[in-house]
Every structure is written in C-alpha cells, then in structure tokens.
Amino acid sequence: MKKFWAGGFLYNPDNNSVLLHQRDAKTKFNPNAWAFFGGLNEGTETPLQCFIRELSEELGCKLEDKNIIPLVDYFNEEFQTHRYVFYVLSHQPKSEFTLKEGADFDWVSLDKLAEYNLTEKTTKDLKFFIDSIQKYAQ
C-alpha cells in the first residue's frame, strides 16, 4: 500500500482552541515546531485508522470513528505523500492526556496561533479550518 500521512487535532468550540503537539529537537523534519498529532500509515490501515492509532500512540487518546471529522486531504509535494487531516470535538483538559512522543502539547487558542512556531502545513490546514468554521458561524 502506498504511504500516506494522517493526523489532526482536537478542537474545543467552547474556548475556540486546538490541541497541538510540539515536535522534539531530535526530529528530522520541523524540530521544535508545533504541529498536528499524526504520522505515516502502517500496513493496510485507512487514513481514519491511522489517525486513531497515531493519537493513541502519541497522546494516549482513545477515539471513536463516529466522532472524527474529516477536514481536508491533498497531495503533499514536499514529502510526495497524500496528507489526510481530521479533527475531533473535545472538552477534555490537558491533564487527562499523556504525552508519549514529542516535547510538549497544549490547548492553543485560535487567536493566539501567531505566537507559536507552527509548521507550514499546520498553518495552512488551520487556516482552512478557521475559514470553514467561520463560514458555518455566519
């Protein structure tokens, strides 16, 4: 099966924040930058299964298919892989998660994103997300 990347974030609509992951300094791509949780597929898993596994591995988060919302997917020229981005509505405090990979993670208010060193793709995908939720709010 062709390799693809699947990942995403949790979104709390009550305080308009997203749960993001800070990559560690040792990672090959985008060290120390803030990004989505995610990674490459394994075996024959679908993008949805990959997202669920990655959030479990990286955050100890158990997700159900029915709660996962597809956001966007496209071909990532930089890595020559397809990129699938999902999100999940969540009200869980940071204290209920356990970081298993990376340097840090936190709930980041959408109006404070400019204060974070986000990866290029995270910035692009969050702009799409913000535009889509603003469209539905009107």
Side-chain angles (χ1 to χ4, degrees):
M1 175 167 234
K2 237 180 149 94
K3 283 292 178 193
F4 60 80
W5 183 94
F9 56 95
L10 304 184
Y11 172 62
N12 185 332
D14 293 343
N15 61 14
N16 209 29
S17 62
V18 291
L19 192 67
L20 298 178
H21 174 240
Q22 186 182 28
R23 299 171 60 80
D24 64 38
K26 296 177 251 166
T27 189
K28 184 177 178 181
F29 301 104
N30 301 303
N32 301 309
W34 288 81
F36 298 144
F37 297 91
L40 294 174
N41 62 311
E42 295 178 358
T44 60
E45 67 187 356
T46 66
L48 190 62
Q49 291 166 335
C50 180
F51 175 65
I52 290 169
R53 177 185 50 77
E54 288 289 342
L55 261 75
S56 177
E57 289 177 358
E58 296 179 6
L59 198 56
C61 183
K62 302 295 181 211
L63 301 175
E64 295 183 36
D65 293 18
K66 66 179 182 177
N67 297 327
I68 299 170
I69 303 164
L71 177 63
V72 65
D73 70 89
Y74 54 91
F75 188 74
N76 181 344
E77 293 285 343
E78 181 182 2
F79 296 113
Q80 292 295 297
T81 56
H82 208 83
R83 179 178 173 91
Y84 297 89
V85 181
F86 302 92
Y87 71 98
V88 178
L89 299 178
S90 176
H91 300 91
Q92 288 180 265
K94 180 179 177 178
S95 61
E96 291 184 14
F97 300 107
T98 303
L99 184 65
K100 297 179 179 185
E101 289 181 24
D104 198 5
F105 72 107
D106 209 351
W107 284 103
V108 178
S109 175
L110 292 180
D111 62 2
K112 303 261 190 232
L113 290 172
E115 298 173 20
Y116 287 77
N117 174 26
L118 301 175
T119 70
E120 179 186 341
K121 297 294 185 281
T122 301
T123 301
K124 174 184 174 177
D125 298 339
L126 282 174
K127 181 180 180 338
F128 182 85
F129 174 71
I130 292 165
D131 290 348
S132 69
I133 61 173
Q134 287 175 344
K135 184 170 67 174
Y136 291 118
Q138 295 174 354

